[in-house]
Amino acid sequence: MGSGYHPPAPPLQVAQWFNTREPLTLKTLRGRVVVLHAFQMLCPGCVEQGLPQARRVHEAFSQDQLVVIGLHTVFEHHAVQGTPAALQAFIHEYRLRFPIALDEPHTTLSIPRTMQALALQGTPSLVVLDREGRVRLHHFGHLDDLRLGTLLGRLLAEPALPAAVAAQSATGCDDSGCRRPDMPAP
Amino acid sequence: MGSGYHPPAPPLQVAQWFNTREPLTLKTLRGRVVVLHAFQMLCPGCVEQGLPQARRVHEAFSQDQLVVIGLHTVFEHHAVQGTPAALQAFIHEYRLRFPIALDEPHTTLSIPRTMQALALQGTPSLVVLDREGRVRLHHFGHLDDLRLGTLLGRLLAEPALPAAVAAQSATGCDDSGCRRPDMPAP
Amino acid sequence: MGSGYHPPAPPLQVAQWFNTREPLTLKTLRGRVVVLHAFQMLCPGCVEQGLPQARRVHEAFSQDQLVVIGLHTVFEHHAVQGTPAALQAFIHEYRLRFPIALDEPHTTLSIPRTMQALALQGTPSLVVLDREGRVRLHHFGHLDDLRLGTLLGRLLAEPALPAAVAAQSATGCDDSGCRRPDMPAP
Amino acid sequence: MGSGYHPPAPPLQVAQWFNTREPLTLKTLRGRVVVLHAFQMLCPGCVEQGLPQARRVHEAFSQDQLVVIGLHTVFEHHAVQGTPAALQAFIHEYRLRFPIALDEPHTTLSIPRTMQALALQGTPSLVVLDREGRVRLHHFGHLDDLRLGTLLGRLLAEPALPAAVAAQSATGCDDSGCRRPDMPAP
């Protein structure tokens, strides 16, 4: 939280999406605040605190302004909780309605790819992006609703960039890398 | 919440202050966000939800930016809960640390004066003022932490007025009434 | 809890009863389990835990078998919470339905008479009597529902004394003192 | 709850035990009260209410008197939650310490064998056996701690059968079936 340098979030690397008609990308979500809840289905703190909070945030805001994404970052018990079928059953039983991404497993490491790229310390983790896709909160553990709400209020109060700049900015950082905004796209 | 016309809050009319060295006025609090929690010590919803939330807000923010004020608006059981001694004992037992005002009783009506001036519907009530002293939330009942936090984040993101304008604005509304800001003070 | 010597409870000394058509005495409650919840209206632990538990116990059992009595043992802030009017307002606002006794104030001590006779350490306190009026639990602070329920189940499983013995036993301890059960009543 | 005919519980049919050095049988638990908590790891009501209650009961009583057994009765999402590895990971992450049995799957039905034999309606379910192994509570859904505690207190107050009768009774019902107690064992 607070001021300082806010790097753009790296792109999501996702094995499978749930609760959304088509894959989401941070690029197409520019202009909106994004709340990423990293969880594991066998993580008690995620089930008891993180996911209920994600649900409350999802229900409190218009998706035009703010999008909640659950990120299933399996880094242990892969055989049990790492499959799409396991996540599907969990989402069904817990009646989760917001978009959820199964973080792309790494071929050799136990830490999946988006978790690695975001340098998350564990689950639950909360990553909040501003309308320009920059990381404004990077939090391991639970953050209470009052503090999270305050941050979201601040970020929602920030104007979206004008369309032209936003478009340019949107091209600034993509899967191939990040370009200086004052440089023309190729 | 949301946009629209936001009138300045009327001045507080207080019989006695607790937890503060000198009386507070909304005028001297200009430049800060103000959260008013109206309660009664015999109101279960206030004791169970309103005051714990007021405590959380008081602890979450720097008083340079945001001030919480408890307002004891006694409109029933006056003999039991209406005296300064009753409020003092309650504050002591519940270990409340933020400034608390005993709303000035009316000579003939059961509704005390600040409650009347703010047109509160009952307790608990939540009134939030922006940095310019305008009413931005006027809520009867409980408001969850996520929504309250979001509003506070928005209001804290709004710039305080420049000192000169603020001073002028500050003279705009005082205990004697409200003056047009473009009119010179007498 | 557990085995051992269980003295009969001393009689209640009550300034005023609420929520009951006529005064209750432990003597007439023989044959039933009695749960005494000692509280003060300005005691946060009583309001948050003790009284909600008393309400749950009152609602869970038939009054033929078990009776809950609230005992307002004011030992501080007498001017604020010690009057019948204060207790009446509190009972009204918190919608308490079970019988409640205002413990008889002492003329010179701050500790009221029943609290003194029961040697309570403070509020909340829980005193549970078996069907014969003997003290089977004497607990300062909160006791969780599982443990309280277990004790109540045990006591309810104990047979009431046959009527004749009970009558004799009932005459054993009254407001004038306690007589040996093998001694004839005068 | 209450009086009436209380049939002996059928024997447990278990694919694998966790948190116990050797398999438990209801027969060897005669003389103690047994609390069976039937759950599924993907059942929100089990995770939020049933298992925390099982943990509280396990911690509140001496195992000489009362034994808690978790029974993982998988009747849906078998591929995800039905394996011993899945249950092992769940037990590890939720730090469950009491004995837990994986209910023996049926070869053709989705309902596992002990769940079938006990005629459970779903999860969470609570089955409580008295010291003689008879079903005294058969409850689908959550039962509050006060009511559960009351039942446990009643059952703990019941005397265990004399050893001779208990031994005879213990031979009455085993994995091969139930024999009339007045008939000699083969």
Side-chain angles (χ1 to χ4, degrees):
Chain A
M1 292 164 99
S3 57
Y5 169 63
H6 302 299
L12 302 174
Q13 300 176 67
V14 173
Q16 190 170 330
W17 281 95
F18 299 86
N19 290 340
T20 177
R21 254 168 299 170
E22 50 189 37
L24 301 181
T25 68
L26 298 184
K27 198 163 132 184
T28 56
L29 293 173
R30 292 284 161 80
R32 297 188 251 178
V33 172
V34 175
V35 177
L36 282 173
H37 264 275
F39 72 103
Q40 293 182 105
M41 55 185 276
L42 287 180
C43 154
C46 303
V47 168
E48 286 157 21
Q49 297 196 292
L51 290 169
Q53 183 181 61
R55 183 196 311 260
R56 288 193 297 274
V57 175
H58 176 64
E59 288 169 359
F61 295 95
S62 159
Q63 293 201 52
D64 291 344
Q65 295 297 314
L66 184 150
V67 172
V68 172
I69 297 176
L71 182 66
H72 197 222
T73 54
V74 178
F75 61 91
E76 54 184 354
H77 308 301
H78 291 81
V80 175
Q81 59 182 351
T83 65
L87 181 54
Q88 176 67 72
F90 179 80
I91 290 169
H92 175 76
E93 292 301 326
Y94 277 81
R95 298 177 192 182
L96 304 176
R97 307 280 187 237
F98 47 88
I100 292 179
L102 176 56
D103 195 354
E104 176 78 40
H106 197 278
T107 39
T108 53
L109 302 175
S110 64
I111 309 296
R113 292 183 186 277
T114 309
M115 184 178 187
Q116 187 86 10
L118 280 166
L120 302 181
Q121 294 172 257
T123 57
S125 279
L126 200 48
V127 176
V128 179
L129 313 184
D130 64 19
R131 295 186 191 274
E132 296 179 50
R134 298 176 304 185
V135 175
R136 296 291 285 273
L137 177 78
H138 189 279
H139 184 82
F140 173 46
H142 186 63
L143 186 75
D144 67 61
D145 277 16
L146 188 63
R147 285 178 171 81
L148 177 58
T150 302
L151 173 68
L152 299 181
R154 279 184 186 279
L155 298 186
L156 289 167
E158 293 179 359
L161 290 178
V165 180
Q168 205 176 34
S169 161
T171 62
C173 227
D174 62 17
D175 293 22
S176 63
C178 296
R179 211 172 312 107
R180 282 172 55 179
D182 52 349
M183 289 297 168
Chain B
M1 294 164 100
S3 57
Y5 170 64
H6 303 299
L12 302 174
Q13 300 176 68
V14 174
Q16 190 168 331
W17 281 95
F18 299 85
N19 290 341
T20 178
R21 253 168 302 170
E22 49 189 37
L24 302 180
T25 67
L26 298 184
K27 196 162 133 185
T28 56
L29 293 173
R30 291 285 161 81
R32 297 189 251 178
V33 172
V34 175
V35 176
L36 281 173
H37 264 275
F39 73 101
Q40 293 183 104
M41 55 185 277
L42 288 180
C43 155
C46 303
V47 168
E48 286 157 20
Q49 298 196 293
L51 289 168
Q53 183 181 62
R55 184 196 312 259
R56 289 193 298 275
V57 175
H58 175 65
E59 288 169 0
F61 296 95
S62 158
Q63 293 201 51
D64 289 345
Q65 295 297 315
L66 184 151
V67 172
V68 172
I69 297 176
L71 183 65
H72 197 223
T73 53
V74 177
F75 62 90
E76 55 185 352
H77 308 302
H78 291 80
V80 174
Q81 60 182 351
T83 65
L87 181 54
Q88 178 66 74
F90 179 80
I91 289 169
H92 175 76
E93 292 301 326
Y94 278 80
R95 298 176 194 183
L96 304 176
R97 306 282 186 234
F98 47 86
I100 292 179
L102 175 57
D103 195 354
E104 175 79 41
H106 196 279
T107 39
T108 54
L109 302 175
S110 64
I111 309 295
R113 292 184 186 275
T114 309
M115 184 177 187
Q116 187 85 12
L118 280 166
L120 302 181
Q121 293 171 259
T123 56
S125 278
L126 200 48
V127 176
V128 179
L129 313 185
D130 63 20
R131 294 185 191 273
E132 297 180 50
R134 298 177 304 185
V135 175
R136 296 291 285 272
L137 176 78
H138 189 280
H139 183 81
F140 174 46
H142 186 63
L143 186 75
D144 66 61
D145 277 16
L146 188 63
R147 285 178 170 82
L148 177 58
T150 303
L151 173 67
L152 298 181
R154 279 184 187 278
L155 298 187
L156 288 167
E158 294 179 359
L161 289 179
V165 179
Q168 202 175 41
S169 162
T171 62
C173 228
D174 62 17
D175 294 21
S176 64
C178 296
R179 211 172 313 107
R180 284 172 56 179
D182 52 350
M183 289 298 168
Chain C
M1 293 164 100
S3 57
Y5 170 63
H6 302 298
L12 301 173
Q13 300 177 65
V14 173
Q16 190 169 331
W17 281 95
F18 299 86
N19 290 341
T20 178
R21 254 168 301 170
E22 49 189 39
L24 302 181
T25 69
L26 298 184
K27 197 163 134 184
T28 56
L29 294 173
R30 291 285 161 81
R32 296 188 251 178
V33 172
V34 176
V35 176
L36 282 173
H37 264 275
F39 72 101
Q40 293 183 105
M41 55 184 278
L42 287 181
C43 155
C46 304
V47 168
E48 286 156 22
Q49 298 196 292
L51 290 168
Q53 183 182 61
R55 184 197 311 260
R56 288 194 298 274
V57 175
H58 175 65
E59 288 169 0
F61 296 95
S62 158
Q63 294 201 51
D64 290 344
Q65 294 298 314
L66 184 151
V67 171
V68 172
I69 297 177
L71 183 65
H72 197 222
T73 53
V74 177
F75 61 91
E76 55 184 354
H77 308 302
H78 292 82
V80 174
Q81 60 181 351
T83 65
L87 181 53
Q88 177 66 74
F90 179 80
I91 290 169
H92 175 77
E93 292 301 327
Y94 278 80
R95 298 178 193 182
L96 304 176
R97 307 281 187 233
F98 47 85
I100 291 178
L102 175 57
D103 194 354
E104 176 78 40
H106 197 278
T107 38
T108 53
L109 301 175
S110 64
I111 309 295
R113 292 182 186 277
T114 309
M115 183 177 188
Q116 187 86 10
L118 281 165
L120 302 181
Q121 294 171 257
T123 58
S125 279
L126 201 48
V127 176
V128 179
L129 313 184
D130 63 19
R131 294 185 191 274
E132 297 180 50
R134 298 177 304 186
V135 175
R136 296 292 284 274
L137 177 78
H138 189 279
H139 183 83
F140 173 46
H142 186 63
L143 186 75
D144 66 62
D145 277 17
L146 188 62
R147 286 178 170 82
L148 177 58
T150 302
L151 172 69
L152 300 180
R154 279 184 186 277
L155 299 186
L156 289 167
E158 294 179 359
L161 290 178
V165 180
Q168 205 176 35
S169 161
T171 62
C173 228
D174 61 17
D175 294 21
S176 64
C178 296
R179 211 173 311 110
R180 283 172 55 180
D182 52 350
M183 290 297 168
Chain D
M1 295 166 94
S3 58
Y5 169 64
H6 302 298
L12 301 174
Q13 300 176 67
V14 173
Q16 190 170 330
W17 281 96
F18 299 86
N19 291 340
T20 178
R21 254 168 300 169
E22 48 190 37
L24 302 181
T25 68
L26 298 184
K27 197 162 131 186
T28 57
L29 293 173
R30 291 286 161 80
R32 296 189 251 178
V33 172
V34 176
V35 177
L36 281 174
H37 265 275
F39 73 102
Q40 292 182 104
M41 55 186 276
L42 288 180
C43 154
C46 303
V47 168
E48 286 157 21
Q49 298 196 293
L51 289 169
Q53 184 182 60
R55 182 197 311 260
R56 288 193 298 273
V57 175
H58 176 65
E59 289 169 359
F61 296 95
S62 159
Q63 293 201 52
D64 290 345
Q65 295 297 314
L66 185 151
V67 172
V68 173
I69 298 176
L71 183 65
H72 198 222
T73 54
V74 178
F75 61 91
E76 55 184 352
H77 309 301
H78 292 80
V80 175
Q81 60 181 350
T83 65
L87 181 54
Q88 177 66 73
F90 179 80
I91 289 169
H92 175 77
E93 292 300 326
Y94 278 81
R95 299 176 191 184
L96 304 176
R97 307 281 186 235
F98 47 87
I100 292 179
L102 175 56
D103 195 354
E104 175 79 41
H106 198 279
T107 40
T108 53
L109 301 176
S110 64
I111 309 296
R113 291 182 186 276
T114 308
M115 184 179 187
Q116 188 85 12
L118 280 166
L120 302 182
Q121 295 171 257
T123 57
S125 279
L126 200 49
V127 176
V128 179
L129 313 184
D130 62 20
R131 294 185 191 274
E132 297 180 49
R134 298 175 306 186
V135 175
R136 297 290 286 273
L137 177 77
H138 190 280
H139 183 82
F140 173 46
H142 186 63
L143 186 74
D144 66 62
D145 277 16
L146 188 63
R147 286 178 170 82
L148 177 58
T150 302
L151 172 68
L152 299 180
R154 279 184 186 278
L155 298 185
L156 289 167
E158 294 179 359
L161 289 179
V165 181
Q168 204 176 41
S169 162
T171 63
C173 228
D174 62 17
D175 293 21
S176 64
C178 295
R179 211 174 313 110
R180 283 173 53 181
D182 52 351
M183 289 297 168

